[in-house]
Amino acid sequence: MAVKRYHQYCPVAHSLDLIGDRWALLIVRELMLGQRRYTDLADALPGIGTNILAGRLRHLEGAGVVRRTKLPPPAAVTVYELTPDGRALDSVLRALAQWGGRTMGPPQPGDCWSTYAVHMRFRPEAAVDGTYEIRFVDGETISLQVKDRELVAMKLPAEDPDLVVEAPPEELHKVISGAVSAQAAVSEGRVTLLAGSATELEHLAAMFAPVEGAAAVAA
């Protein structure tokens, strides 16, 4: 039987009592993107059983992290969203992303980047202002807005993007890691440019290139 409480007067243990179950923080991660239907969450978390998802949502509601609300007509559907306490976990997820990113390594075939992976890899010193859209083959779309060395990443199509690239995650990662040049990736059909140029793809890759030393830790 799973331990429901640690019975320790410790803020770490108390936090884990509330959000420490498997899948709980990934549900919170998805809800950081905004309101989601139950089916949206199930689609975004392949491998989670419907009974597990329902149970985790009930637990997170009881913990004051998640709440249910019904959208007004014409939608009239039930959605889940984070409470203010739930949104306060953003800094926790960012810290976990930085910590886990040191040893995460490259994506596997079929993996899509989460917005936390995008922010974790962003290099402000290499930033080039612009709007970028990444369409992962058989996966999700991520839009990136870069301005004044700051990044806003969303799982939505971009408005008036300067660059639109479509690629399998592993092929895009080869460009970002420097294993394949942007020009070669385009000419060899590894990635497809739907808008913009290979030069802009080079800029995108530089903004997310591995920091020297971090790659060695991940290897």
Side-chain angles (χ1 to χ4, degrees):
M1 179 181 292
V3 176
K4 295 300 182 183
R5 294 198 58 191
Y6 291 101
H7 298 290
Q8 297 179 18
Y9 188 69
C10 168
V12 175
H14 175 64
S15 297
L16 292 175
D17 284 338
L18 300 178
I19 58 169
D21 286 331
R22 187 168 184 246
W23 295 105
L25 277 177
L26 294 184
I27 292 171
V28 172
R29 181 198 69 186
E30 291 305 309
L31 292 176
M32 284 291 176
L33 302 173
Q35 295 175 326
R36 292 290 184 270
R37 298 170 300 174
Y38 182 92
T39 52
D40 295 330
L41 292 170
D43 289 343
L45 299 168
I48 190 171
T50 55
N51 59 327
I52 297 295
L53 177 56
R56 295 294 182 269
L57 286 168
R58 283 196 302 271
H59 177 77
L60 291 169
E61 283 186 77
V65 174
V66 169
R67 63 186 168 212
R68 274 181 296 176
T69 187
K70 192 162 187 175
L71 297 180
V77 296
T78 298
V79 293
Y80 294 87
E81 63 185 4
L82 294 175
T83 64
D85 277 351
R87 296 212 67 82
L89 287 166
D90 182 54
S91 60
V92 175
L93 291 174
R94 288 177 183 270
L96 283 172
Q98 291 291 338
W99 184 79
R102 301 174 308 151
T103 54
M104 189 166 59
Q108 298 300 309
D111 285 352
C112 282
W113 288 39
S114 74
T115 55
Y116 285 96
V118 172
H119 280 98
M120 179 269 298
R121 290 287 296 267
F122 181 60
R123 299 179 65 179
E125 71 277 9
V128 177
D129 286 1
T131 303
Y132 307 85
E133 180 175 303
I134 301 171
R135 300 180 187 178
F136 290 113
V137 173
D138 298 325
E140 296 179 301
T141 294
I142 293 180
S143 65
L144 311 172
Q145 180 71 50
V146 180
K147 185 176 182 181
D148 298 331
R149 295 192 173 191
E150 292 190 359
L151 167 69
V152 176
M154 298 289 291
K155 284 192 176 182
L156 294 169
E159 293 186 13
D160 193 22
D162 301 295
L163 174 73
V164 180
V165 57
E166 184 177 62
E170 63 272 18
E171 293 296 342
L172 182 62
H173 190 270
K174 289 175 184 176
V175 178
I176 290 172
S177 66
V180 178
S181 71
Q183 291 284 354
V186 173
S187 64
E188 294 171 11
R190 296 171 180 265
V191 304
T192 301
L193 296 182
L194 302 177
S197 65
T199 298
E200 286 162 316
L201 179 58
E202 288 176 359
H203 294 162
L204 176 68
M207 288 188 279
F208 298 96
V211 177
E212 190 170 344
V217 173

